[in-house]
């Protein structure tokens, strides 16, 4: 398509600010960016959309335009929402470099322009396949009746004989047609995609899982540096390299997995699939917009809790949140708080003490973690409300009150209290000790893909509170979740979690023991036993572990180890002789117990 066609389309609302003599340039794709130097993601012929966030001073315009012109882009469209009007220094730089410049009215979304260009470009390049893209577009933009991504993927199968699935960054199936994709295969594909993105490989990524070949295409939200429908060799936006922008988006971007080897495809078919990903991205933007209400509710409640607001004020907001998050439930729910944080090594991402705000990244990740990994579809996260503040994400998770527990709760002044205040003398905790979310279970299904996205320079830590049933309990639950996350942060590994039950145990203290103290303590107690086991092929260390696990019971320990009691007494005597400790004393038992836990 020609640049001139953009001005002739009233729905786009573009105004030409310069470059009228260059309007016959051919547009081959579209890219949205706010990078100061996006040249490495450009292959030529793109219409570049920018919100001008890269411009800090008037001097920034000249180098930015020079890079675009050098990359051979077709034109530049600048949004007016950030600065109110396109600055004169940018207009002048575009005139000097003969780069056509358009102003985008703040009422027009970049996704609208992207969709139009994708449709036009894919239609011109793909020839008879353009009808498929147009059918996709009409179905995607016709609202709920169109069927959303599921119908688009059905058309890929019926019209192009391609089986495809839209996956979340954890591998959960967002949409799919035909044969379902197993949870393990989805997680493996997501891990491969995230690892390839972090290493800078160009999309589509070709991978083999369970003996089948897949091609993976990124699906990026339109307002956050989305890749365009550029040529087959385009790097696919910020995912083309391991820079800061990849860190900001890699853990939240969807992917389109196609069971085929895209390396054998002609350029028109590649361009067509790139266009389909952007049509799916429109649905992604709709989903994100639908989350705005839930995020705002969580943010309001969080601000009230952190500011020490009266419980009655917090309870009022809880009453508003409950029907939004649990529609149809009559009783006020229990609540749990989950705190997550993403930290990056080095200057770009910042560590836990750094000022870099990774809250939005953690927010997107936590929203995905809290979705049941077996739940398919775009609306499976409708009951999740996540806010972010100070580099961490905080989720307000409702736990529905069982219908047979409603009367009992009300009679006890628990969940039946409609004002959300705690009963007299209560601490706000729900009765069932094992109710709600567990930290270890939350990460079980998503650990592999998230670790791939974090690579060797990122960490995700997560803490889960106990369930509470009142406004008074929320502040304590927030502190509890934050303490649990700090316990998780003290552990090794890229993806770590801790729950509230660990805060009432020695487990809370062990992660904070310095490494040199750990080594000295365990070496003094256990090295003599390990050396003896090595030299004599004995089993003193396993015997010690079993003896402590059986609470010092000779008969139970002997039965567990299939030993005669006299043999067990001989081994324990040898342990005491080698270490100078007495296993009949509580203090020495405790020391051995801690040494084994820290080793």
């Amino acid at each position: 398509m020609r640049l001139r066609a953009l001005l002739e389309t009233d729905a786009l609302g573009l105004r030409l600010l310069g470059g009228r003599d260059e309007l016959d340039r051919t547009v081959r794709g579209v890219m949205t960016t706010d990078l100061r130097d996006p040249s490495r993601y450009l292959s030529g012929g793109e219409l570049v959309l920018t919100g001008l966030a890269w411009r800090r001073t008037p001097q920034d315009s000249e180098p930015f335009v020079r890079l675009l012109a050098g990359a051979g882009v077709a034109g530049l469209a600048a949004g007016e929402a950030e600065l109110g009007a396109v600055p004169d220094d940018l207009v002048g730089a575009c005139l000097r470099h003969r780069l056509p410049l358009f102003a985008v009215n703040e009422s027009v979304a970049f996704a609208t322009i992207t969709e139009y260009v994708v449709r036009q470009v894919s239609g011109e390049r793909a020839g008879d396949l353009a009808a498929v893209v147009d059918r996709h577009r009409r179905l995607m933009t016709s609202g709920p009746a169109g069927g959303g991504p599921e119908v688009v993927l059905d058309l890929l199968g019926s019209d192009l004989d391609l089986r495809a699935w839209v996956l979340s960054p954890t591998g959960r199936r967002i949409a799919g047609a035909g044969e379902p994709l197993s949870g393990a295969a989805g997680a493996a594909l997501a891990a491969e995609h995230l690892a390839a993105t972090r290493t800078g490989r160009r999309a589509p990524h070709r991978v083999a899982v369970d003996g089948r070949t897949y091609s993976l295409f990124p699906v990026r939200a339109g307002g956050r540096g989305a890749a365009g429908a550029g040529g087959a060799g385009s790097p696919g936006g910020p995912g083309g390299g391991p820079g800061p922008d990849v860190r900001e988006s890699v853990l939240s971007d969807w992917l389109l997995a196609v069971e085929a080897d895209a390396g054998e495809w002609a350029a028109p078919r590649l361009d067509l699939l790139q266009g389909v990903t952007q049509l799916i991205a429109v649905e992604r933007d709709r989903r994100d917009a639908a989350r705005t209400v839930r995020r705002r509710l969580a943010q309001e409640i969080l601000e009230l809790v952190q500011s020490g607001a009266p419980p009655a004020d917090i309870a009022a907001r809880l009453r508003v949140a409950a029907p939004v998050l649990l529609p149809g439930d009559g009783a006020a729910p229990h609540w749990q708080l989950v705190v997550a944080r993403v930290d990056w090594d080095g200057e770009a991402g910042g560590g836990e003490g750094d000022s870099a705000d990774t809250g939005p990244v953690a927010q997107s990740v936590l929203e995905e973690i809290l979705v049941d990994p077996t739940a398919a579809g775009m609306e499976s996260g409708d009951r999740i409300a996540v806010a972010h503040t100070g580099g961490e994400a905080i989720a307000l998770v409702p736990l529905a009150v069982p219908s047979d527990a409603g009367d009992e709760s009300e009679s006890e002044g628990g969940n039946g209290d409609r004002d959300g205040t705690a009963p007299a003398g209560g601490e706000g905790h729900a009765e069932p000790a094992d109710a709600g979310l567990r930290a270890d279970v939350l990460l079980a299904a998503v650990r592999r893909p998230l670790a791939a996205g974090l690579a060797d320079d990122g960490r995700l830590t997560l803490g889960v509170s106990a369930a509470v049933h009142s406004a008074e309990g929320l502040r304590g639950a927030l502190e509890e979740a934050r303490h649990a996350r700090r316990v998780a942060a003290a552990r090794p590994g890229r993806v770590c979690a801790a729950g509230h039950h660990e805060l009432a145990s020695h487990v809370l203290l062990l992660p904070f023991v310095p490494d040199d103290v750990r080594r000295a303590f365990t070496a003094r107690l256990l090295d003599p036993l390990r050396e003896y086991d090595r030299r004599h092929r004995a089993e003193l260390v396993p015997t010690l572990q079993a003896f402590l696990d059986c609470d010092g019971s000779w008969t139970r320990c002997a039965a567990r180890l299939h030993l005669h009691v006299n043999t067990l007494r001989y081994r324990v005597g040898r342990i005491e002789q080698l270490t100078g400790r007495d296993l009949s004393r509580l203090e020495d038992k405790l020391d051995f117990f801690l040494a084994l836990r820290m080793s």
Side-chain angles (χ1 to χ4, degrees), residues 64-120:
F64 180 78
V65 173
R66 184 173 63 251
L67 290 168
L68 295 186
V73 304
L76 174 65
E80 296 180 321
E82 181 76 14
L83 301 179
V86 178
D88 292 339
D89 47 273
L90 181 59
V91 176
C94 288
L95 289 173
R96 286 191 294 275
H97 290 277
R98 300 177 63 83
L99 181 66
L101 175 64
F102 301 89
V104 182
N105 189 279
E106 62 180 353
S107 64
V108 178
F110 281 179
T112 301
I113 301 173
T114 298
E115 182 185 354
Y116 176 84
V117 175
V118 168
R119 175 161 41 97
Q120 297 299 320

Side-chain angles (χ1 to χ4, degrees), residues 118 203-204 217-218 228-231 234 269-278:
V118 168
F217 298 79
S234 64
R269 177 165 286 206
L270 277 174
D271 291 339
L272 181 66
L273 264 292
Q274 294 285 5
V276 169
T277 63
Q278 293 207 1

Side-chain angles (χ1 to χ4, degrees), residues 388-522:
H388 68 84
T389 180
E392 64 184 10
I394 302 171
L396 183 70
V397 182
L399 306 174
V401 181
S403 57
D404 58 355
D407 295 339
E408 179 182 355
S409 296
E410 187 162 349
S411 65
E412 296 177 0
N415 293 314
D417 286 349
R418 300 302 294 159
D419 63 355
T421 57
E427 296 181 2
H429 284 278
E431 294 299 328
D434 58 349
L437 305 173
R438 290 186 58 88
D440 53 346
V441 176
L442 279 178
L443 294 183
V446 301
R447 189 181 302 274
R448 178 183 175 186
L450 289 180
L454 292 164
D456 58 357
D457 61 351
R459 289 200 77 204
L460 169 67
T461 52
L462 182 144
V464 181
S465 79
V468 298
H469 57 69
S470 72
E472 288 182 344
L474 283 180
R475 185 157 190 175
L478 177 57
E479 289 306 311
E480 191 172 58
R482 282 174 166 162
H483 282 307
R485 192 205 63 78
R486 285 192 284 270
V487 170
R491 295 172 175 166
R494 290 292 170 188
V495 182
C496 299
H500 60 91
H501 60 283
E502 299 181 59
L503 302 184
S505 165
H506 64 277
V507 177
L508 172 64
L509 303 176
L510 294 185
F512 299 98
V513 178
D515 289 341
D516 55 345
V517 176
R518 284 170 176 260
R519 287 191 294 268
F521 183 76
T522 57

Side-chain angles (χ1 to χ4, degrees), residues 292-330:
T292 302
V293 173
R294 298 192 298 276
R295 286 177 170 179
R296 186 169 63 246
L297 281 173
Q299 196 74 41
E300 291 174 354
I301 294 170
L302 173 62
E303 290 172 358
L304 288 172
V305 171
Q306 293 194 127
S307 65
D313 293 347
I314 301 175
R317 300 310 300 162
L318 288 177
R319 287 198 298 272
V320 173
V324 174
L325 300 179
L326 283 174
D329 281 56

